[in-house]
Amino acid sequence: MTLADPRRRRLLAGLAAVAWSGAAPPALGAAARVVAIDWGLAATLVSIGVTPVGVAEIPLYRTWVAEPALPAAVADIGLRTAPNLERLAALRPDLIVMGQQTENARALMAPIAPALVLDIYSGRRTPLAAAREAALSLGVATGRETEARAFITAFERTADTVRARLAGIDRPLLPIAFLDARHVRVYGRGSLLADVLARLGLRSAYEGATNPWGFAVLGLAELASHSDALAVVIGPTPPGVEATLARPGLWRALPFVREGRVRSIGPVWAFGDLSAAARFAQALPPVLAGSAP
């Protein structure tokens, strides 16, 4: 794609409009040493062949995001909400990439390196569309535009393949994640997971109000209204919760539990990127195979 290509002009214009902090941004394609505060953006970097020099809260990334795996050489820079500025400066980054949740720390990081803010949940577009745009933006900033476009194409091919495999599933799906033994996050309108379900030709069971990240916190009793749903439990589940749910109680009384319509999958970072979207899509066929329409 050339500079004269209208699509590239729009992409570069979009990058120019993104919030930068600190010194002038590096030339497009020049950022080699990148620090990622946001886990979804870290996953995107790895997916397009860029190893970040630093990522926030790496042990928790490995629990909640899992894939793509971070190379062992990546340094932990502390909390996502309050990165360790000394560690950050020692890494000599060319670029810091972050989401809006790190807004309060931007001024403190400004003397260290310019910051590129890319937010999947900005509200300006759907999370899935924002994830595609974030991949392109990071590709341009790091000289990996070709890899970023290939990453997007790979997701679309995966989605097409999974959609064909799940064409017989007619029940609405209820994606949930346990907060404790009595409360769940349920993902609905405005979430990355609901976007993926729609892309796969599936229906999301939850149509109620959601927060800016596309989920609602519900008690178990509130799930009873989704009696026809096929529940998809997303890991990780907090310690002790599975043992509690195995005992007689409200969970086991829910219609979709009684009738065996619960499936469990591994961790998916629902606030993430295209790799999280692909991971969610790929996790569904093995657990939904044989499910009644």
Side-chain angles (χ1 to χ4, degrees), residues 38 40-41 44 118-136 151-152 155-156 187-199 210-215 269-278 280:
D38 178 87
L41 300 180
T44 297
L118 298 167
D119 198 352
I120 304 300
Y121 284 90
S122 66
R124 294 188 296 272
R125 60 191 65 79
T126 66
L128 189 55
R132 292 187 186 98
E133 291 184 17
L136 275 178
F151 176 45
I152 294 169
F155 166 75
E156 299 300 343
Y187 296 95
R189 187 181 299 109
S191 70
L192 179 65
L193 301 189
D195 279 2
V196 174
L197 290 180
R199 176 64 178 82
T210 56
N211 62 18
W213 296 276
F215 71 86
W269 186 236
F271 315 103
D273 70 324
L274 278 189
S275 65
F280 183 55

Side-chain angles (χ1 to χ4, degrees), residues 64 175-179 183-187 215-218 269 271:
W64 288 94
I176 60 175
F178 279 94
L179 296 174
H183 301 88
V184 298
R185 284 190 185 124
V186 56
Y187 296 95
F215 71 86
V217 175
L218 301 182
W269 186 236
F271 315 103

Side-chain angles (χ1 to χ4, degrees), residues 178-184 220 238 240-242 244-245 250-251:
F178 279 94
L179 296 174
D180 55 37
R182 299 177 63 85
H183 301 88
V184 298
L220 295 186
V241 168
E242 290 184 0
T244 300
L245 297 179
L250 184 55
W251 172 251

Side-chain angles (χ1 to χ4, degrees), residues 143-255:
R144 297 274 181 163
E145 185 178 340
T146 298
E147 290 83 352
R149 291 189 177 279
F151 176 45
I152 294 169
T153 298
F155 166 75
E156 299 300 343
R157 287 175 178 163
T158 293
D160 287 342
T161 299
V162 172
R163 185 182 182 114
R165 291 183 62 186
L166 298 180
I169 302 295
D170 191 45
R171 283 190 185 276
L173 268 62
L174 186 67
I176 60 175
F178 279 94
L179 296 174
D180 55 37
R182 299 177 63 85
H183 301 88
V184 298
R185 284 190 185 124
V186 56
Y187 296 95
R189 187 181 299 109
S191 70
L192 179 65
L193 301 189
D195 279 2
V196 174
L197 290 180
R199 176 64 178 82
L200 301 178
L202 301 171
R203 292 183 294 137
S204 180
Y206 182 72
E207 297 179 348
T210 56
N211 62 18
W213 296 276
F215 71 86
V217 175
L218 301 182
L220 295 186
E222 296 173 274
L223 300 180
S225 60
H226 302 289
S227 58
D228 64 334
L230 200 164
V232 178
V233 179
I234 301 161
T237 299
V241 168
E242 290 184 0
T244 300
L245 297 179
R247 297 194 288 267
L250 184 55
W251 172 251
R252 291 180 61 182
L254 292 172

Side-chain angles (χ1 to χ4, degrees), residues 33-57:
R33 298 181 61 80
V34 185
V35 165
I37 311 297
D38 178 87
W39 286 344
L41 300 180
T44 297
L45 286 169
V46 175
S47 296
I48 64 173
V50 177
T51 299
V53 294
V55 170
E57 297 183 278

